[in-house]
């Protein structure tokens, strides 16, 4: 859920406005940023700038923008996706302004230039923000891809011309990883080789937004004498918008899914959504034999051309078990890592980029605590000041004295329920339970073959409740995670909540109102 606010005097702008999927809650609802803090502080952005079209950067715009009613600046692909979302919400799209990569505009007193970068979606841009004599570079998501397939490689000269910048707000996602992220061009070669060796029907599952990957699959299929078909609403929508912008001119002709049954299996490649085990996605329907036009058979192949997002391990393993029961051959990041490339920079790329722009200060964002800390270590080695690893709700000041955290505001989660943004379940009666106090627990966990275990910092807010021995509480939590058998985050939450309430009742003087959030985390390397 990316949402960053930049303020100078009483003027504010927002950068990105994304959502996340809450896998620990029934029906996996959407979670969007909580606007209570900016509203309480009187912060209303006068413009919203979008760095790129991924859901974790644009997915909450249609839900939250009506509170601001400000201009929205986005590159053509992101603008097209936003217009569709606005149409679904019956909102006018007149506020959406298209800005081309490389262009600059002003939202007084801010001046913002869109700087093209490579990422796993076209038109991803960093934002060079000029304000009050300061030069701030907000990178968004990026990597250094010499052969991105769609769009041009990054222009190093353009970024060297920015140096030195006062502050980089930078992507930490792959900061712990040595070396360099892979190229989409290399993935395209690997896909072509793999498809050429496959017999029977082939299903390739990837993120719909990775248009370069979709194009690579289409080209590889054409080279092997196969026809391609798209499965999944988000895939069809993304490719449709991209075609209108001229990004998919080389994509071979598509076969409607209702005609696939008439083609021999060894002439078919299906590009499908569902690489993360999503219950309603196309790949899940195929695995369960619920697709109206195609039944997978022994000898067919499924290629997972996507990285497993932390927290999705269990549903993906369940999906693979179903596919294996059908006699399907599986290619994934474990047995064929060459079939995917990350969209975020590893250590060599971060170092090279910072040598270009020569920042004085760094705020490491994205990822978890260990990713931010690895990013801080890189900055330290380059003599870049990076004293803070911020969490959601931090107000950070940059002035002549450097960076400092001025205030920290808890961010109770908000979810989308029946087309409305509402507090996380259990928060509705917070005022009625004020006398008992509230305990907010955010528990980062990761799945292993034997169960669940806690990762990183335990985020516990007991400011309005009676005292709690956090060391004993943490040890008890670890024992419970080891003991509980649950296949999904939702099942884990269902099993842990009553145990948690029972333990707190025995160890706290007054039983608080308990709000538990379980988050998917990534295990350290």
């Amino acid at each position: 859920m990316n949402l960053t606010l930049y303020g100078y005097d009483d003027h504010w702008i927002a950068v990105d406005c994304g959502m996340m999927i809450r896998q620990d809650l029934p029906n996996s609802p959407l979670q969007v940023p909580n606007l209570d803090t900016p509203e309480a502080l009187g912060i209303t952005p006068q413009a919203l700038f979008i760095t790129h079209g991924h859901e974790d950067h644009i997915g909450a715009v249609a839900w939250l923008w009506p509170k601001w009613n400000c201009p929205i600046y986005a590159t053509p692909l992101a603008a097209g996706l936003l217009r569709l979302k606005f149409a679904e919400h019956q909102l006018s799209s007149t506020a959406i302004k298209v800005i081309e990569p490389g262009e600059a505009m002003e939202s007084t007193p801010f001046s913002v230039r869109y700087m093209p970068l490579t990422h796993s979606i076209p038109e991803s841009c960093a934002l060079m923000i000029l304000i009050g004599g300061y030069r701030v570079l907000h990178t968004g998501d990026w990597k250094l891809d010499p052969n991105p397939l769609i769009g041009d490689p990054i222009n190093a000269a353009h970024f060297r011309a920015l140096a030195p910048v006062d502050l980089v707000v930078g992507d930490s996602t792959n900061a712990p990883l040595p070396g360099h992220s892979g190229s989409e061009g290399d993935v395209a070669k690997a896909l072509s080789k793999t498809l050429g060796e496959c017999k029977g029907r082939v299903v390739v599952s990837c993120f719909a937004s990775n248009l370069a990957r979709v194009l690579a699959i289409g080209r590889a299929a054409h080279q092997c004498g196969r026809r391609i078909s798209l499965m999944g609403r988000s895939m069809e929508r993304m490719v449709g918008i991209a075609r209108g912008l001229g990004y998919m001119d080389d994509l071979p002709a598509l076969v409607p899914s209702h005609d696939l049954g008439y083609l021999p299996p060894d002439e078919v490649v299906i590009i499908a959504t569902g690489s993360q085990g999503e219950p309603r996605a196309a790949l899940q329907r195929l695995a369960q034999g619920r697709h109206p036009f195609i039944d997978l058979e022994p000898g067919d192949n499924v290629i997972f051309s996507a990285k497993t997002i932390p927290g999705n391990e269990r549903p993906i393993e369940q999906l693979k078990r179903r596919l294996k029961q059908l006699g399907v051959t599986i290619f994934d990041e474990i047995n064929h890592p060459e079939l995917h490339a990350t969209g975020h920079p590893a250590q060599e790329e971060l170092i090279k980029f910072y040598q270009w722009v020569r920042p004085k200060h760094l705020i490491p964002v994205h990822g978890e605590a260990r990713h931010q800390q690895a990013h801080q270590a890189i900055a330290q080695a380059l003599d870049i000041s990076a004293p803070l690893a911020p969490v959601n709700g931090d107000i950070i000041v940059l002035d002549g004295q450097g960076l400092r955290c001025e205030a920290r505001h808890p961010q109770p989660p908000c979810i989308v329920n029946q087309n409305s943004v509402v507090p996380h379940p259990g928060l509705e009666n917070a005022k009625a339970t004020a006398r008992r106090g509230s305990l907010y627990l955010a528990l980062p966990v990761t799945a292993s073959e034997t169960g669940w275990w806690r990762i990183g910092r335990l985020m516990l807010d007991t400011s309005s409740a009676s005292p709690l021995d956090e060391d004993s509480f943490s040890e008890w939590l670890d024992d419970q995670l080891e003991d509980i058998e649950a296949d999904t985050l939702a099942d884990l939450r269902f099993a842990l909540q009553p145990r948690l309430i029972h333990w707190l009742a025995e160890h706290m003087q007054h039983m608080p109102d308990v709000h538990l959030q379980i988050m998917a985390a990534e295990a350290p390397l």
Side-chain angles (χ1 to χ4, degrees):
M1 294 190 306
N2 294 279
L3 169 57
T4 307
L5 292 161
Y6 288 95
Y8 184 80
D9 290 335
D10 293 326
H11 302 277
W12 290 86
I13 60 173
V15 175
D16 291 333
C17 188
M19 64 82 179
M20 65 181 288
I21 298 175
R22 285 297 303 272
Q23 300 169 66
D24 62 315
L25 294 177
N27 300 319
S28 299
L30 304 182
Q31 181 174 325
V32 299
N34 188 328
L35 296 185
D36 288 351
T37 297
E39 289 177 355
L41 297 174
I43 295 173
T44 301
Q46 60 198 36
L48 169 60
F49 294 89
I50 301 298
T51 61
H52 65 283
H54 276 150
E55 284 296 296
D56 60 331
H57 291 256
I58 68 170
V61 175
W63 300 104
L64 302 184
W65 170 84
K67 292 177 176 287
W68 302 332
N69 199 29
C70 62
I72 303 169
Y73 297 95
T75 51
L77 179 61
L81 295 168
L82 283 171
R83 288 194 187 100
L84 281 181
K85 291 178 180 293
F86 272 41
E88 291 175 350
H89 285 73
Q90 297 181 326
L91 296 170
S92 169
S93 60
T94 55
I96 301 172
K97 315 294 183 185
V98 174
I99 184 165
E100 295 291 338
E103 288 186 356
M105 58 80 55
E106 288 193 3
S107 177
T108 308
F110 295 88
S111 177
V112 180
R113 180 174 295 278
Y114 275 66
M115 305 291 296
L117 289 163
T118 47
H119 183 44
S120 53
I121 188 172
E123 301 177 358
S124 189
C125 290
L127 302 180
M128 185 67 207
I129 304 170
L130 306 181
I131 178 66
Y134 290 94
R135 300 162 62 81
V136 177
L137 184 63
H138 183 109
T139 69
D141 294 352
W142 65 280
K143 63 185 288 187
L144 298 184
D145 191 337
N147 185 13
L149 294 189
I150 294 179
D152 298 320
I154 187 171
N155 189 320
H158 288 172
F159 284 90
R160 287 195 184 100
L162 302 178
V165 299
D166 294 290
L167 172 67
V168 166
V169 179
D171 183 355
S172 309
T173 306
N174 279 337
L177 300 182
H180 198 288
S181 65
S183 171
E184 284 297 327
D186 293 336
V187 175
K189 294 175 184 176
L191 283 166
S192 182
K193 179 177 182 294
T194 301
L195 286 181
E197 295 171 351
C198 284
K199 308 296 182 184
R201 187 182 289 111
V202 179
V203 179
V204 186
S205 188
C206 63
F207 295 113
S209 59
N210 195 336
L211 294 169
R213 192 74 49 83
V214 174
L215 182 60
I217 298 165
R219 289 173 175 172
H222 183 69
Q223 292 169 4
C224 299
R226 292 175 179 263
R227 308 285 297 280
I228 62 170
S229 182
L230 305 180
M231 276 192 187
R233 183 169 171 241
S234 61
M235 184 74 69
E236 294 170 355
R237 169 186 292 186
M238 185 69 70
V239 170
I241 294 174
R243 278 186 142 177
L245 294 170
Y247 284 127
M248 309 295 280
D249 290 346
D250 293 339
L251 187 70
L254 299 173
V255 176
S257 56
H258 56 74
D259 289 343
L260 287 174
Y262 300 108
L263 294 175
D266 58 0
E267 293 182 13
V268 170
V269 171
I270 298 168
I271 309 174
T273 58
S275 65
Q276 302 304 304
E278 300 95 321
R280 293 178 291 275
L283 186 56
Q284 191 72 254
R285 296 200 306 272
L286 289 169
Q288 296 176 358
R290 294 189 293 109
H291 198 278
F293 306 121
I294 287 292
D295 290 319
L296 294 181
E297 302 168 344
D300 288 342
N301 309 270
V302 172
I303 297 173
F304 287 81
S305 186
K307 177 181 174 61
T308 297
I309 295 175
N312 292 345
E313 294 88 351
R314 296 296 179 89
I316 291 174
E317 284 306 312
Q318 290 175 338
L319 173 61
K320 290 178 181 177
R321 281 199 296 270
R322 293 192 185 101
L323 292 169
K324 289 176 182 176
Q325 289 170 359
L326 296 174
V328 170
T329 301
I330 293 175
F331 301 77
D332 60 19
E333 61 185 305
I334 298 173
N335 58 22
H336 286 274
E338 73 277 7
L339 296 174
H340 175 63
T342 177
H344 303 271
Q347 292 176 0
E348 285 185 11
E349 293 157 277
L350 290 167
I351 292 170
K352 180 180 289 187
F353 187 74
Y354 294 154
Q355 289 172 341
W356 292 348
V357 301
R358 305 200 327 266
K360 299 176 184 176
H361 304 90
L362 168 74
I363 297 177
V365 295
H366 305 342
E368 302 154 17
R370 73 179 189 89
H371 302 84
Q372 293 174 299
Q373 291 161 5
H375 204 170
Q376 286 176 295
I378 293 171
Q380 184 177 8
L382 297 174
D383 200 26
I384 301 167
S385 172
L388 304 175
V391 297
N392 292 333
D394 283 3
I395 293 185
I396 297 172
V397 173
L398 171 66
D399 57 20
Q401 306 303 311
L403 288 169
R404 68 180 184 277
C405 182
E406 186 175 72
R408 177 160 288 176
H409 297 272
Q411 299 294 296
C414 290
I415 65 167
V416 175
N417 183 28
Q418 295 182 346
N419 292 324
S420 298
V421 177
V422 300
H424 178 287
L427 295 184
E428 295 89 341
N429 299 319
K431 292 182 179 178
T433 59
R435 290 181 60 189
R436 295 183 295 164
S438 296
L439 182 146
Y440 298 92
L441 171 64
L443 178 63
V445 300
T446 190
S448 70
E449 293 182 0
T450 57
W452 300 90
W453 47 296
R454 182 164 58 92
I455 294 290
R457 359 178 213 208
L458 178 69
M459 288 165 273
L460 183 66
D461 181 4
T462 59
S463 56
S464 58
S466 57
L468 172 68
D469 184 341
E470 293 191 20
D471 290 338
S472 298
F473 182 51
S474 296
E475 291 178 6
W476 176 84
L477 272 176
D478 291 339
D479 291 341
Q480 298 307 304
L481 290 174
E482 187 176 340
D483 181 61
I484 290 174
E485 294 184 8
D487 288 333
T488 66
L489 288 174
D491 293 340
L492 178 61
R493 186 177 187 275
F494 183 78
L496 182 59
Q497 180 97 0
R499 300 187 189 199
L500 175 63
I501 292 173
H502 180 75
W503 189 92
L504 293 172
E506 290 186 344
H507 291 80
M508 298 186 75
Q509 183 178 0
H510 301 291
M511 182 61 194
D513 196 27
V514 178
H515 312 293
L516 171 64
Q517 179 180 9
I518 300 179
M519 305 177 299
E522 184 176 342
L525 298 176

